[in-house]
Amino acid sequence: MTPEHRVALVTGAGRRVGRAIALRLARGGWSVAVHYHRSADEAGRVVEACRALGVRAEALSADLADSEACRDLVIATQASFGALGCLVNNASIFERRPLDALSVADIDRHLAVNLRAPLLLAQEAADALRESEGLIVNLSDAAVTRPWPDHLAYMISKGGLDTLTAGLARALAPRVRVVGIAPGVAAWPEDYDEAARARLTARIPLGRAGTPEDIAELVAYLLTHGGYISGTTIPVDGGRHVV
Ligand SMILES: NC(=O)c1ccc[n+]([C@@H]2O[C@H](COP(=O)([O-])OP(=O)(O)OC[C@H]3O[C@@H](n4cnc5c(N)ncnc54)[C@H](OP(=O)(O)O)[C@@H]3O)[C@@H](O)[C@H]2O)c1
């Protein structure tokens, strides 16, 4: 990929995993469109940190539940940076809803943000990514193969995302690669207490929770050394998926 194509759009990049991905790509010399929805201050700080690393960065806001806003986000990225080499679909909703309490609105919201938005962003970005011979990374979840019953809307959205990864890899080949990353624990949900954290950590073969940086390193690897990887979703979960 030529240097002018090294522009990444990272959704949900103001905080947590998305922030780590944005900063890691900036450290690798990538300009970054730092997408956010509500975390404007945090996104601004990520932009400053990226610029301090010597790359271009802009904060771009969009509600990814809105299909027009998804398309506008890609258009705004290209207008700002003139190219797109990597789309990271990281933004996500993760809400606990026991089956009896799960509403149509809950289901629609999860599917819109976690599944429809990545598809619309990929569609809108396809021409630019073909031109740059770029990469799409979809953030899935290692629990998809053993779905949590109190998070069914989230789980089916991520299961669909894995299918989207495989389908887009075929639709956009040979010029664009599409890869999923399935974290186990990369950043604790903020409402998990110590007991819940210890209970989940005890099930991880490597004996520790992961970090946002564990995920960001794989994104960087896929860009620098992963040129023959496409169409699959890779667990980054300390081995949890085999237990
Ligand atoms: N954290 C983990 O351990 C873990 C485990 C398994 C899978 N994953 C996956 O890895 C990715 C990153 O995880 P995370 O925990 O860092 O994610 P997160 O904190 O739950 O969410 C990331 C961002 O998504 C954005 N978002 C939510 N609703 C949105 C909307 N309607 N429009 C636009 N953006 C919206 C939010 O941006 P604003 O703050 O700007 O509103 C939020 O900061 C997610 O896809 C998640 O499913 C994470």
Side-chain angles (χ1 to χ4, degrees):
M1 186 181 296
T2 59
E4 64 272 19
H5 286 135
R6 286 194 197 121
V7 175
L9 167 57
V10 183
T11 65
R15 304 171 66 240
R16 293 163 58 84
V17 175
R19 173 182 178 277
I21 293 169
L23 293 175
R24 179 63 185 86
L25 295 185
R27 265 205 290 133
W30 282 70
S31 296
V32 188
V34 176
H35 160 266
Y36 68 96
H37 180 217
R38 297 216 162 87
S39 300
D41 292 347
E42 292 91 336
R45 287 196 284 276
V46 174
V47 165
E48 291 308 317
C50 289
R51 288 178 183 163
L53 290 163
V55 299
R56 295 185 57 207
E58 301 288 342
L60 298 171
S61 167
D63 177 359
L64 298 180
D66 175 343
S67 55
E68 280 308 309
C70 292
R71 300 201 186 277
D72 290 347
L73 175 62
V74 176
I75 292 166
T77 301
Q78 290 178 264
S80 278
F81 294 90
L84 186 63
C86 181
L87 165 64
V88 182
N89 285 309
N90 168 81
S92 164
I93 298 177
F94 173 72
E95 292 171 357
R96 181 177 179 279
R97 290 283 186 282
L99 186 58
D100 290 347
L102 186 63
S103 70
V104 171
D106 294 329
I107 298 166
D108 287 351
R109 197 169 53 253
H110 279 84
L111 292 177
V113 174
N114 298 2
L115 179 56
R116 188 180 66 190
L119 171 54
L120 294 176
L121 293 168
Q123 240 183 352
E124 192 67 37
D127 284 345
L129 290 169
R130 282 191 192 99
E131 166 139 6
S132 61
E133 300 197 58
L135 172 72
I136 297 174
V137 178
N138 291 326
L139 270 290
S140 179
D141 193 307
V144 155
T145 52
R146 257 173 316 190
W148 295 9
D150 286 352
H151 291 79
L152 280 183
Y154 169 84
M155 289 293 162
I156 62 170
S157 72
K158 294 297 188 179
L161 189 64
D162 290 353
T163 299
L164 180 64
T165 294
L168 282 175
R170 296 187 71 183
L172 295 173
R175 292 186 69 84
V176 180
R177 292 179 299 121
V178 187
V179 183
I181 296 178
V185 178
W188 289 109
E190 281 151 3
D191 58 345
Y192 280 27
D193 62 17
E194 279 309 316
R197 294 177 189 209
R199 204 170 49 246
L200 286 171
T201 304
R203 297 186 199 140
I204 301 170
L206 294 188
R208 68 162 177 90
T211 65
E213 287 71 28
D214 288 321
I215 307 303
E217 281 304 325
L218 179 53
V219 178
Y221 174 87
L222 290 169
L223 286 167
T224 54
H225 294 86
Y228 201 52
I229 301 172
S230 192
T232 193
T233 295
I234 303 170
V236 180
D237 66 349
R240 175 73 180 95
H241 67 285
V242 292
V243 179

